[in-house]
Amino acid sequence: MPRSRKLTVQAPWRELATTERDWQRADASLLATTLVSLHLIRAFEEKVLELAGQGLVHGPAHSSIGQEGGAVGSALALRSSDQINGSHRAHHQFLAKSLHFVAPQGLDPAQPVSESTQALLQRTLAEIMGLSQGFCRGRGGSMHLRWADAGVLGTNAIVGGGVPMAAGAAWAHRRAGTGDVAVTYFGDGAVNIGSVLETMNLAAAWKLPLCFFIENNRYAVSTEVGEVTAEARLSSRGQAFGIPAWKVDGMDPLAVHLATQEALAIMRDGGGPTLIEADVYRFFHQNGPLPGSAFGYRTKEEEAEWRGRDPLDRVANQMIERRLIDEAGVAGLRERARSAMERAAAELLDTRGKKPAVRADLWPSPDFRDAHVRGDLSELASARYVEQEAYGGTLESRKFVDSVAEVMHRRMESDERIVVMGEDVHRLKGGTNGATRGLAQAFPERCLGTPISENAFAGLGGGIAMDGRYRPVVEFMYPDFMWVAADQVFNQIAKARHMFGGDSAMPLVLRTKVAMGTGYGSQHSMDPAGIFATSPGWRIVAPSTPYDYVGLMNSALQCEDPVLVIEHTDLYNAKFPSPVDDLDYCIPLGKAKVARPGRDVTVLTYLSMVAPCVEAAERLGVDAEVIDLRSLDRAGLDWETIGDSIRRTNNVLVVEQGSLGTAYGVLLGDEVQRRFLDWLDQPVQRVHGGEASPSISQVLERAACAGPEEIEAGMRQVMTAQGRPLD
């Protein structure tokens, strides 16, 4: 008969509740600030719902009425330098942290609303209404609120999407050694999302000072928490990852505050992440001014029971009992909070007509539409640009991959802000291909091997970049894995600068390799250029030589935008003239290179297809001008070089290796024809792989990818169609 023994968990998990003694001992100024914060947030939310009901809020109005206790109780325990983020229902979190920032000395229930507080309320309301004076210049609205000065990293419309970003901020705090922490707020719906659980694991493994704060309001829209999980005590999630956890009554702000203080003590002392589950209740539906009972998923009796536990009343009653305030004082505070919101709204509205309307002069200009999708590259104004032909250093015949590792070593040696992370980057003599060789030995605290969790570590990299103190280099072992991390790659990292108004740089480099021809099959072989090129915000470089790789990587690491650096396994072990003694030069982002001059046809290509195109032209005797694009994003295409060539050749062939469905040439061919139609003798011709992804079979893999034979056929076709067939 087998023997068994009971196993115990590593981390404590307990429920915390206040006693009357806790309320009697609580600092009077803390209770006063709590009460004022609660009332200001409540009045703010009521005004938002009122304006939404009048059609003056475009988009959702995710009210936090009823949930204020969790946000205020936790935020008042934080430093101004601590950082938070949240999800779509985050007005209360944003305001709680920001009120504490503008009034660090505390708030007095008997005093008028200060001008700094009034300005905060008005700017926040302006943002929710989509107006230019908002914190994100009207781009963020209700769900995307950011104020870096106050420590608000940015709230998020993707449920659970901001959690990995908060881990990045926590990593930066740990690395800086300041003792600061990050708090990420999310709800019961996000608890079961992969990115949240991945981040819990990563934060615990790396002992990051990150508090996972669960606002358990019991309903994800209309789905009750017990319907979607067998363990409805959501703080139990901490046990799986060794994270200390607290369960508290979120309608009791003091209980939340005390639990947060205990969690902060652990995190500031280097003990790693913590988790707090606050039981709260949103008094209204997911969106808008109606209660949940109006939609049939909650009863009026349930709603009445929770309204009887209103955190505003809880704090006020305890303060009255201690004679810190009286009922008239509470009523006066309530009136001042409402008046502040009336004033804030009045500044934004035109009331001269039959119905109030948004003031026309406060809308953002339509010209602002595409501004700050990416930066202006002014950060590279002093870069030393040197093309290979003008290089004054030594060039030796060496493997491409050696230059990949050496330039990163050089940059990490000269810039302590750079941190490298990815799967196995710290092992196997430099990852699976040697591209990070020597980095773990030279920079053990900045070369980080991650769990297999692209969503978590890509988002963590994004959070580090948004924090601004460090510059992450994230490696995806294969580009196909971008689909696993699609939310972080495309919804978070790519959109952040634009979404938050243009002031949020995102200096992140994402490295990955195309592995067509290696036999790794359909899920490890794609060329990601076509997908990333459709995502506004990303810059893309694809170096075809080690010399260009060094220069483009140096530029990418100075760029304030996210940059995808695409490598190719076919190039790694090939030998080229490679820089040895000078690894500090740059190659401009957005500058193509003529790899072979010619007058018969313009061949536009990149990465591992550049050399085969040159070889095919020489072999066939075609006077082809082969242009190595180098920069592939929409803003980085060098139309000056491309256009100059097309005006001479009147003929274009786009060459890429990958499959038709994700092809970069679709975008490129369309742009060429719209820009240069009058100069073309025929439509743009293309060489690309098949429709299907590469297969494991060597024969089928070769058939799926474009190679020398397809390039030759393409050159013959483009010349024949122009009336100049080749022999």
Side-chain angles (χ1 to χ4, degrees):
M1 187 173 180
R3 291 179 296 175
S4 65
R5 62 186 178 89
K6 184 177 180 180
L7 298 177
T8 58
V9 296
Q10 293 182 183
W13 176 33
R14 62 197 183 93
E15 187 169 5
L16 184 151
T18 56
T19 65
E20 285 302 315
R21 186 181 182 193
D22 293 319
W23 282 98
Q24 291 298 319
R25 295 174 60 185
D27 183 76
S29 62
L30 169 67
L31 296 180
T33 300
T34 299
L35 186 64
V36 176
S37 298
L38 291 170
H39 274 275
L40 288 172
I41 295 170
R42 176 66 58 85
F44 180 92
E45 293 289 63
E46 289 172 340
K47 177 54 70 173
V48 169
L49 290 183
E50 178 188 325
L51 295 173
Q54 295 173 332
L56 297 171
V57 174
H58 181 64
H62 294 119
S63 162
S64 63
I65 292 176
Q67 298 188 193
E68 301 94 339
V72 172
S74 54
L76 288 180
L78 301 178
R79 303 171 179 169
S80 292
S81 51
D82 293 328
Q83 293 173 307
I84 71 164
N85 72 358
S87 58
H88 59 287
R89 189 182 315 283
H91 304 165
H92 56 320
Q93 298 150 8
F94 177 86
L95 287 172
K97 185 67 164 71
S98 299
L99 284 166
H100 192 28
F101 174 72
V102 300
Q105 75 285 355
L107 296 165
D108 187 340
Q111 293 299 314
V113 173
S114 69
E115 288 304 309
S116 59
T117 297
Q118 185 68 43
L120 166 63
L121 297 172
Q122 183 173 323
R123 285 191 70 190
T124 309
L125 185 61
E127 184 57 49
I128 290 171
M129 295 173 69
L131 305 181
S132 57
Q133 66 175 250
F135 282 97
C136 302
R137 303 180 188 177
R139 283 182 174 156
S142 173
M143 298 186 289
H144 309 112
L145 295 165
R146 172 177 165 85
W147 191 16
D149 292 346
V152 183
L153 285 165
T155 63
N156 207 287
I158 304 298
V159 175
V163 175
M165 304 286 277
W171 185 91
H173 291 319
R174 194 196 68 177
R175 174 69 184 166
T178 60
D180 292 333
V181 308
V183 179
T184 183
Y185 295 93
F186 54 96
D188 48 280
V191 168
N192 300 317
I193 288 177
S195 60
V196 174
L197 300 173
E198 286 182 21
T199 306
M200 286 182 180
N201 177 67
L202 185 54
W206 289 3
K207 288 194 173 299
L208 302 182
L210 175 61
C211 178
F212 297 91
F213 195 102
I214 305 169
E215 287 188 319
N216 184 358
N217 67 22
R218 286 170 166 71
Y219 293 93
V221 186
S222 63
T223 302
E224 199 272 329
V225 66
E227 299 177 65
V228 294
T229 181
E231 174 54 275
R233 298 171 300 172
L234 303 181
S235 46
S236 66
R237 302 301 192 270
Q239 300 299 286
F241 303 106
I243 299 175
W246 290 258
K247 183 176 178 62
V248 296
D249 178 5
M251 312 302 274
D252 179 347
L254 182 59
V256 174
H257 187 77
L258 295 174
T260 304
Q261 286 184 318
E262 292 184 9
L264 288 170
I266 291 173
M267 293 186 289
R268 297 200 200 283
D269 196 40
T274 58
L275 186 153
I276 297 173
E277 176 191 6
D279 289 319
V280 294
Y281 198 80
R282 54 174 165 85
F283 290 172
F284 292 90
H285 179 53
Q286 163 78 355
N287 175 34
L290 296 175
S293 57
F295 298 86
Y297 63 88
R298 300 197 303 210
T299 66
K300 292 182 179 180
E301 290 75 18
E302 176 184 312
E303 291 172 343
E305 178 186 350
W306 280 92
R307 280 185 175 273
R309 298 172 56 194
D310 194 321
L312 278 68
D313 294 339
R314 179 70 180 272
V315 176
N317 290 337
Q318 291 289 347
M319 291 181 67
I320 290 170
E321 185 174 321
R322 284 183 56 180
R323 298 183 180 179
L324 300 174
I325 198 171
D326 57 22
E327 291 184 2
V330 175
L333 170 61
R334 171 77 165 154
E335 182 56 33
R336 284 190 292 277
R338 285 177 165 175
S339 295
M341 289 312 305
E342 290 296 330
R343 177 182 166 191
E347 292 291 330
L348 306 176
L349 297 176
D350 182 348
T351 57
R352 293 173 298 177
K354 292 182 179 180
K355 294 182 179 180
V358 175
R359 279 176 47 187
D361 61 311
L362 299 182
W363 290 113
S365 169
D367 296 339
F368 190 56
R369 181 193 66 187
D370 293 336
H372 309 298
V373 167
R374 59 190 67 80
D376 59 6
L377 297 181
S378 58
E379 63 271 25
L380 288 162
S382 61
R384 179 171 64 93
Y385 294 124
V386 183
E387 294 287 354
Q388 185 170 337
E389 293 73 14
Y391 183 66
T394 303
L395 295 173
E396 293 182 358
S397 179
R398 305 180 69 190
K399 290 181 179 179
F400 190 113
V401 74
D402 292 340
S403 293
V404 174
E406 288 165 6
V407 69
M408 189 55 63
H409 190 284
R410 172 62 180 153
R411 294 280 65 79
M412 294 182 75
E413 181 181 56
S414 59
D415 189 346
E416 292 188 352
R417 297 175 301 165
I418 296 174
V419 54
V420 172
M421 66 185 70
E423 295 157 7
D424 293 308
V425 296
H426 62 320
R427 297 279 163 74
L428 304 176
K429 297 182 179 180
T432 54
N433 293 96
T436 53
R437 187 189 66 245
L439 300 185
Q441 292 72 36
F443 316 103
E445 294 183 355
R446 291 189 287 136
C447 184
L448 309 175
T450 66
I452 300 175
S453 52
E454 280 80 7
N455 226 334
F457 70 74
L460 184 143
I464 293 174
M466 284 189 74
D467 174 85
R469 287 175 287 183
Y470 302 97
R471 303 183 80 88
V473 179
V474 177
E475 178 183 307
F476 281 178
M477 191 179 292
Y478 293 94
D480 308 67
F481 300 170
M482 70 178 177
W483 299 119
V484 180
D487 175 44
Q488 297 302 317
V489 169
F490 300 120
N491 265 331
Q492 311 297 341
I493 294 169
K495 294 178 180 178
R497 181 192 279 271
H498 183 268
M499 182 171 68
F500 291 125
D503 298 326
S504 306
M506 182 57 78
L508 178 145
V509 170
L510 174 60
R511 291 182 47 247
T512 194
K513 63 174 183 262
V514 178
M516 295 181 196
T518 61
Y520 270 69
S522 298
Q523 296 175 333
H524 285 68
S525 303
M526 78 175 295
D527 176 350
I531 301 300
F532 274 83
T534 64
S535 178
W538 279 99
R539 296 186 185 272
I540 309 167
V541 297
S544 65
T545 69
Y547 184 90
D548 283 358
Y549 186 94
V550 170
L552 288 168
M553 177 57 81
N554 283 335
S555 292
L557 286 170
Q558 293 184 50
C559 184
E560 295 293 328
D561 296 319
V563 183
L564 172 68
V565 178
I566 309 177
E567 303 160 14
H568 202 297
T569 54
D570 283 355
L571 299 175
Y572 276 156
N573 292 314
K575 290 190 174 182
F576 297 81
S578 304
V580 177
D581 47 2
D582 178 6
L583 298 175
D584 297 327
Y585 63 88
C586 293
I587 298 289
L589 301 178
K591 182 64 177 175
K593 183 172 185 178
V594 177
R596 182 192 189 279
R599 301 190 62 86
D600 286 351
V601 58
T602 299
V603 179
L604 303 177
T605 190
Y606 60 95
L607 207 63
S608 65
M609 301 302 275
V610 174
C613 286
V614 172
E615 292 164 4
E618 300 289 348
R619 186 170 61 252
L620 295 172
V622 180
D623 191 19
E625 180 145 294
V626 179
I627 297 179
D628 182 355
L629 295 170
R630 299 198 296 195
S631 287
L632 305 182
D633 54 278
R634 191 180 293 274
L637 284 167
D638 182 358
W639 292 114
E640 182 178 349
T641 298
I642 294 169
D644 178 68
S645 180
I646 292 173
R647 292 184 187 97
R648 284 184 284 103
T649 67
N650 312 118
N651 212 0
V652 177
L653 179 66
V654 176
V655 177
E656 59 187 318
Q657 184 183 28
S659 61
L660 175 63
T662 57
Y664 175 70
V666 174
L667 176 149
L668 184 59
D670 171 69
E671 286 280 350
V672 168
Q673 292 188 151
R674 287 191 295 105
R675 289 171 181 262
F676 302 105
L677 181 63
D678 291 345
W679 295 91
L680 295 174
D681 289 344
Q682 61 173 318
V684 172
Q685 303 296 310
R686 292 174 53 207
V687 172
H688 51 73
E691 182 179 1
S693 302
S695 305
I696 293 291
S697 165
Q698 190 171 8
V699 173
L700 294 177
E701 181 180 48
R702 174 62 192 88
C705 305
E709 293 87 348
E710 288 77 16
I711 295 172
E712 179 174 329
M715 287 188 177
R716 289 184 179 278
Q717 170 63 28
V718 77
M719 296 305 295
T720 299
Q722 201 183 30
R724 295 187 290 167
L726 302 176
D727 294 337

